[in-house]
Amino acid sequence: MAKRAKMMTPDPVSPIGEAAMPRAASGDAGITLSERLPSSFVQVQAWPDTVAKAAKVIDKLAGEGVTIMATGPGRWLIESDETGLEDSLRKALKTDAAAVTGLTHARVVITASGLKVDWVLASGIALDFANMEPGDVALTAHHGIPLTIRRLPDVADRKAYDLTVFSSYARDFWGWLERAGEEVGLAVA
Amino acid sequence: MSNHRLTLRDGVGTLIDGSSGKVNFTFDGKPYTGRKGDTLASALLANGVKLIARSFKYHRPRGIVSAGSEEPSALVTLRSGARSEPNIRATEIELYEGLEAKSQNRFPSLAFDAMAVNQLAGKALGAGFYYKTFMGPKSPGHTATKFWEFCEASIRRAAGLGRAPLEADPDRYARMHAYCDVLVVGSGAAGIAAARRAASAGARVILCDERATAGGSLTGAADMIGGEPAHVWVAEAVAELAAMDNVTVLTRTTVQSLFDDGTIFAIERVADHKATPDKGEPRQRAWQIVAKSTVIATGALERPIVFGGNDRPGVMLADAARRYAVEFGVAPGRAVTVFTNNDTGWLAARDMARTGTIVNAIIDVRQDVSDHIRAAGAETRAAIHVGSAVVGTHGWNELTGISVGSFDERTGVASPGNRRIPCDCLAVSGGWSPAFHLTSQQGGKPIWDAELQAFLPGEPAEESNTRWHGAGAMAGKFGLRAAFRSGEEAAAKALADASFGEGESHVPSIDGDELDHAPAPVFEIRNTGKAFVDLQHDVTADDVRLAEREGFRSVEHLKRYTTLGMATDQGKTSNVTGLAIMAHARNMDIPDVGTTRFRPPYTPTAIGTIAGEAYGHLAPTRRTPMQDWHEARARCFPNGPWMRPESYNADGESVEQAYIRETKAVRAGVGIVDVSTLGKIDIQGPDATEFINRIYSNAFAKLPVGKARYGLMLREDGILFDDGTTWRLDDHRYLMTTTTAGAGLVMEHLEYHRDVVWPDLKVALTSVTDEWAGVAVAGPKSRDLLAACVEDCDVSDTGLPFMGVRDGTIGGIPVKLARLSFSGEMAFEVYCGFTHGQAIWDALLAAGEPLGVTPYGLEALGTLRIEKGHVAGPELNGRTTAHDLGLGGMVSTKKPFVGKVLGERPALHEDDRLQLVAIASLDGQRIRGGSHLVQGGKDDVGRSEGHTTSTCFSPELNRYVSLALLEGGRARHGERMFAANPIRGMHVAVEVVSPHMVDPDGGRMRG
């Protein structure tokens, strides 16, 4: 066994790559994108008879820096800007209460905002964006790419969404966003 | 005079931007000018150009017939080069600076077309010509009759329309999804009324119109609405609607299809009115709209009257002639004669006369017309001929005059023409056919209205769950007042469908004509000369009667025998007339003959628009975190949804040379390969072990924590489904790996069994393919490589035994290490968080540099497993069993599992089934995939006894080898036969050998 000084875990590398580097639009930006690699992203799946128990644990997580998305009966996706969420949930929820699955590396979150964000997203996603309220979550797909979409609070009267995408599909999906956004002007923050 | 442009003023040229300059364009290379707001058709008419096209079969000269999307004749090729597009209706193309259009289907020129000689063979080329002439017994060795093969090339050259370009289309095509409470199709009086009422109730409304300017017939109507000219009123009404937050107005948008569940498919022509789209702008956009209810206000299509020579350029529909004059400010002719069987023809004459167009005669088959209509006729100062009919036309490439005879309404017979009227435009109105194409698509059976002499849309089909309501002329509600009323009524019903209140009524005051909309039941004037029913496919009235005489009497047979109603216009102006002629021939009423059902789309649709953003590739691409590294050094190709490296070729190296080098490097030292693409499924729960044990054919109940096991998965019918290793991470948690291509199917298989078959089991299934990046480290020096970089884990044979799973770190990155081998060598798989994949890859390369580590691609990966006899996708082909592949020992006889019962069927265990073997080339020739294993030489080939599945050059055996499936193959090792690939002309002598060509006892991989 090799013995060396302990090293810090290196930073994760963006699956999207250089395309996600900030840049301005050539004119007015109808949509602005930014990429976020979660510090923690965990799925919790309770059993039919343990939903309330799991919900109680999850409710306690609510607060600054934590996003909880109910994605099915007894199922939640939880993002935290702190690392270690998977371990702490696994301790709080034993196997007989829920399955806890770490997806921190498996997901990339793309924030899309702007005056034309609905127009761009609707060009590839069959979802009634006009009927989504802040905090609403939808599980959907773009061209076979699974997506979790959450509407964020408006920023300066501009609508915004978090688009959570599988890491291996992230660059393909980003490429589509760039292409679809050309018509209205696209910036990367 | 070639300039037919009228003086633009109020009510003349309502769609023309009189303040703009001239717009330059070319037709067949000749320069012309038009005005902003023109269509190509109106601009050509303004320049006196009437000859636009040659007909499909007879190459007869053809001109402009309509002013809309129903146009059967004036088809042109638009633009040039890669952007050229054939068969575009000149009546729909908006003029833009630099527009290029060409006529089609003529040689050497439009004015002199050599193929017009076809007209001389008119009788022979009638209905059923192809069936009668070319169908017959196939000649020996041919796919058709010899005569057809002799004629085919010249017939295909002579017939048809335009030609598609061979270059790739440079434009982009977008898609849009939209949702609304009420969709209104058509923005004429009924559509506007419906949209206003629906919008007033707060419903989300989408209003579509296929033209550039919304308003339908109101843009050229002579009526006053709300105290204003109709075109002014409707422009204001549309602007008000467009300004409302809950209303979307889509012009240049044709609703093509009405599907189930309220789903509508529409095409928006975003940039067709420009020379090229703006940056990022699509040329066309496909809208998928889901509406709670739809108001269909698509109006009605005017139909012609059939008579000899009715296709001569200059003969057009009366309403089209009126629109050219009123909306575009273009006189359709220097002297226009109107021929009608109903009141609207008279109003067309009056409206044209008001623009300054000279109308020299009005001919009506009816003897009696109302005083109001007579007054309208008097206003034109035209000669009035009631009880008369056009019995012939004169001219060659353009109309120069007509012959008129008296017409007996009672007998339907016209006398020979004894009067000749000079004219260069004959405006014909044979009544109106409601445009109920969308409702027909939904199965609504049309109903014949004997008074209107037209089919009406009828009621929605019982099986349809799409809610629609007809309004305006489409629903048989002709006239402005009826249109407004029916639009509002339809909107009220649609609002109820969408659970809204009734909304507010907005019917404006209307000052206009009250007409009798019932035409005389006259569809054809029988006389001499070719009388065309379907102008686009050159189908004559005689063709319809010939079909009847030859027994093709049902409308479906009529359509197919004569091609009536086919091609780009789908018979919009000809269907009803064709039915009427057939009904007369059969001495039946029109509705008793039957109708055909309209199919989507309403108008021709570019394939690119349907493909949308799928252009260029058919599925999204998944990338491993090391994909950039691979692409910089290897040719990558699709493997399932992933891109994967083929081989890392050195300078001048072929793929075969590269994979042989990489394979040798692994066998002699160490290599690494990206295996991040393997499917990975997290399986957790109190019943996870039981679940996995039921899924796999081999035992998993006693797999210890920290160990992995290779597992076989069967379908319910006992056929092999997928394979892979499953790692036990703790008592109730597993990581299952699957083949790359099988990942999605395995996940579905597992979810189905959990949800449907064993819902009592507490098991959670989550795809974690993207959570983990994976690298296989293979070769006799693989442990040395890991020892040089792995921390927090003992990688010795004791610390990490064969099939062991451990946690460790590399460069501070947490990793999972599993000692597994696909290559047959000592090997490990290193898994890390996906976003650390490249860092781990780099660390392994750096640690392996002193050992000569070699990255290897999919070709070497395949070669290594072929030499070892490990099966993969080509062998797991949906027909093989575990026994076929020599894996029978992995099928438990003790426990139940998916596929056990049906897998025990005797037929799946017969000795002569195709069984896995390997074959080795005896003569140094390559063995191709898909070759058949046969006895006998090239000239004496026996039957196929099997086939090759996975082939490569084996560096270990120093010859070409292949895995193969051979009848009773396990008992045939040592037998010699041939791998025949007749398509490639290959016939390779081979020897059947064991599939375990390398390390058959597994000593190497167990270390």
mmCIF file of all heavy atoms in Angstrom, chain B residues 145 160 262 427 523 807:
data_model
loop_
_atom_site.group_PDB
_atom_site.id
_atom_site.type_symbol
_atom_site.label_atom_id
_atom_site.label_comp_id
_atom_site.label_asym_id
_atom_site.label_seq_id
_atom_site.Cartn_x
_atom_site.Cartn_y
_atom_site.Cartn_z
ATOM 1 N N THR B 145 -41.987 -5.700 -66.037
ATOM 2 C CA THR B 145 -42.001 -6.097 -67.438
ATOM 3 C C THR B 145 -40.832 -5.427 -68.151
ATOM 4 O O THR B 145 -40.382 -4.360 -67.760
ATOM 5 C CB THR B 145 -43.313 -5.670 -68.128
ATOM 6 O OG1 THR B 145 -43.378 -4.243 -68.109
ATOM 7 C CG2 THR B 145 -44.525 -6.238 -67.400
ATOM 8 N N GLY B 160 -43.742 14.461 -63.664
ATOM 9 C CA GLY B 160 -43.322 14.968 -62.353
ATOM 10 C C GLY B 160 -43.343 16.457 -62.253
ATOM 11 O O GLY B 160 -43.820 17.173 -63.128
ATOM 12 N N GLY B 262 -56.192 16.830 -28.131
ATOM 13 C CA GLY B 262 -56.102 18.276 -28.344
ATOM 14 C C GLY B 262 -54.751 18.737 -28.832
ATOM 15 O O GLY B 262 -54.379 19.898 -28.640
ATOM 16 N N ALA B 427 -62.577 34.541 -64.848
ATOM 17 C CA ALA B 427 -62.694 34.315 -63.411
ATOM 18 C C ALA B 427 -63.899 33.431 -63.162
ATOM 19 O O ALA B 427 -65.026 33.811 -63.475
ATOM 20 C CB ALA B 427 -62.836 35.646 -62.679
ATOM 21 N N PHE B 523 -71.517 21.488 -62.016
ATOM 22 C CA PHE B 523 -70.097 21.250 -61.768
ATOM 23 C C PHE B 523 -69.292 21.171 -63.055
ATOM 24 O O PHE B 523 -68.096 21.389 -63.061
ATOM 25 C CB PHE B 523 -69.914 19.940 -60.982
ATOM 26 C CG PHE B 523 -70.497 19.990 -59.602
ATOM 27 C CD1 PHE B 523 -71.823 19.645 -59.372
ATOM 28 C CD2 PHE B 523 -69.724 20.406 -58.534
ATOM 29 C CE1 PHE B 523 -72.361 19.693 -58.099
ATOM 30 C CE2 PHE B 523 -70.256 20.465 -57.255
ATOM 31 C CZ PHE B 523 -71.585 20.108 -57.031
ATOM 32 N N ASP B 807 -12.441 0.145 -1.040
ATOM 33 C CA ASP B 807 -12.364 1.599 -1.177
ATOM 34 C C ASP B 807 -10.916 2.047 -1.009
ATOM 35 O O ASP B 807 -10.148 1.438 -0.261
ATOM 36 C CB ASP B 807 -13.215 2.288 -0.108
ATOM 37 C CG ASP B 807 -14.698 2.130 -0.366
ATOM 38 O OD1 ASP B 807 -15.079 1.988 -1.541
ATOM 39 O OD2 ASP B 807 -15.474 2.136 0.602
#
